[in-house]
Structure formats: structure tokens, C-alpha cells
Amino acid sequence: MVNEINRVLQGAVKSGISTGIKHEVPEALTKALNENVFVFSGLKTYHQLKQASLLLQDEKGGIKPYNQFQQEVLKLHESYNVNYLNAEYNFAAATAQMAAKWNDFEQDGDQYHLQFRTAADEKVRRSHAVLHNTTLPPSDPFWNEYMPPLDWNCRCTVAQVLKDKYTPSNSAEAVSNGQKATTRIGKDGVNRAAMFRFNPGKQKVIFPEKHPYFKVQQRVKEI
């Protein structure tokens, strides 16, 4: 299962990393992204199997009939390996593309400004639409946390633009809008979107350690 999830997500990384870039992607960056995806695949499998094991017993502590257990595990499979995996594939492809693009941006330095762009259609989240055309130099701290994708199935991107064609945005205002775009408080009071505050090119990861899958015992991480 680890290998199969890894195979699917590695395909997304390979697709994303070769899209719309000018410079060759360093081997060290590709290696780091692939290793991150493999660890993510292992942790995803761990959580999935842990939930499956909890389905074995009924409310009274007895073992469930096989048919009931099978149906519940199939629902678990539908969630993890169909719905979640589809969103994770899209995220991995988009994040890999941004990591590769950041490599381009770093090589060009502050020769250009960077501009945040949405897909500019009716499906764009309102909180992301506010960030559309945000224009700042690569060295601005905004890009440390608000490189897209900023959520599951986010289609936003970043492009290089000429300095003399676009006026730089207010950095503090941009950061404030970025915080709002990555705030989604769950019933437990935890911000579910905080995990999207990272720069894949700088941190050299596809899935950040703020992802819930990484919340495991230390011995599991070591394995």
C-alpha cells in the first residue's frame, strides 16, 4: 500500500516538476521532494491501517462480523484511496510545480517581481481572489508562507513580471490577506488551513510536517 500510494504521488511530482520552468531542476531538490512523498505515503498508510484496526470491534468490545467489517473498511478505502488521494495528487502536482518555479525565481534573483494569480473564474475562493495580482519581490517575506497552492484543489499560481510594469503591493496587507486565505477553523478550534503556510521550493517538501499525517509517535517517524 505504501508503494502504491507513493507511485501515484510520485507521478504527480514528476508531472508538476516539469511544467512551465526555465532552468533545470537540481537533483538534490528532486530527491528531497521524492523522499518527502515516500514518507508521506508511509504515514498515510499508518493512519489508514490504524483506523481499520479500530473498526474490528463493536461498541461492546466484541469482534464484528466479517461482512460488516468489510463494508466499513471499503468506506475507509473510498475516503483515503479515492477522495483524499485525488486531492493529494492535485496538491502534489501543484506543489512540485511551485517548488520547481521557485528554483527559477531564485536563479533570477530580484531581477523580476513575483505576482500571485488565481484561475480568475467563478470557482476561485473569495479569500484567494483577494490575493489576485499581489505583486512583490522574491525576497519579500510574504513568499515564505503564501506560495500556492493554499488549499486542497487550489489552482492559484505565481508568475514573474517586469518591475517597471507592475507597482509592488503593500507587504503587510498581502500577509494579512494570506493569513485570512489560510484560516479555516474546525470544530475543535484548530486552524485546518495553517498547514498550507509554507514555501515548497524553500523547504523542499511536497507535504509539510504540519499535515495531520505527520502527527505520530516518534518511533513511527523513525520507521
Side-chain angles (χ1 to χ4, degrees):
M1 186 176 286
V2 174
N3 289 336
E4 182 62 12
I5 293 170
N6 181 61
R7 182 190 66 78
V8 172
L9 296 180
Q10 294 284 1
V13 171
K14 185 177 180 179
S15 172
I17 211 168
S18 61
T19 306
I21 57 173
K22 297 187 298 181
H23 303 287
E24 184 178 353
V25 178
E27 184 179 344
L29 175 59
T30 302
K31 184 174 184 290
L33 298 181
N34 287 336
E35 287 181 351
N36 172 257
V37 164
F38 179 76
V39 172
F40 178 87
S41 301
L43 294 173
K44 176 185 173 80
T45 300
Y46 170 80
H47 283 281
Q48 187 174 178
L49 294 180
K50 188 175 181 181
Q51 285 197 37
S53 69
L54 294 175
L55 294 175
L56 281 167
Q57 292 184 315
D58 58 26
E59 295 177 353
K60 298 180 179 178
I63 301 299
K64 293 176 183 174
Y66 175 74
N67 288 342
Q68 181 184 350
F69 174 70
Q70 182 189 43
Q71 292 305 310
E72 292 178 358
V73 168
L74 287 174
K75 289 180 181 178
L76 191 70
H77 162 72
E78 183 76 17
S79 294
Y80 272 89
N81 302 317
V82 180
N83 300 330
Y84 297 170
L85 189 59
N86 179 62
E88 290 158 0
Y89 180 94
N90 294 337
F91 184 80
T95 307
Q97 184 184 31
M98 287 299 103
K101 276 192 169 188
W102 188 259
N103 177 65
D104 281 348
F105 301 156
E106 281 189 321
Q107 294 195 45
D108 292 336
D110 277 354
Q111 180 180 351
Y112 301 94
H113 284 325
L114 302 182
Q115 189 172 82
F116 190 104
R117 295 177 179 175
T118 68
D121 58 25
E122 69 283 354
K123 295 181 180 179
V124 175
R125 299 167 175 86
R126 290 183 181 179
S127 60
H128 293 199
V130 176
L131 289 167
H132 185 62
N133 285 340
T134 294
T135 305
L136 293 163
S139 57
D140 192 279
F142 171 81
W143 302 113
N144 292 339
E145 294 191 319
Y146 306 111
M147 280 288 287
L150 298 184
D151 211 327
W152 299 116
N153 297 316
C154 171
R155 298 168 297 145
C156 298
T157 189
V158 175
Q160 287 180 318
V161 296
L162 297 174
K163 284 184 173 183
D164 57 1
K165 189 175 180 180
Y166 295 92
T167 303
S169 304
N170 180 287
S171 179
E173 184 179 334
V175 168
S176 177
N177 289 333
Q179 289 175 339
K180 293 173 184 176
T182 52
T183 298
R184 190 173 65 252
I185 307 300
K187 294 180 180 179
D188 55 1
V190 175
N191 181 9
R192 302 295 185 190
M195 60 162 278
F196 299 104
R197 295 176 182 173
F198 75 107
N199 182 317
K202 281 191 171 186
Q203 294 177 228
K204 296 179 174 55
V205 297
I206 296 295
F207 298 99
E209 288 210 6
K210 289 181 283 187
H211 190 288
Y213 288 167
F214 286 87
K215 294 180 180 178
V216 295
Q217 297 173 329
Q218 184 58 35
R219 65 180 183 84
V220 177
K221 285 186 178 182
E222 290 170 357
I223 292 171

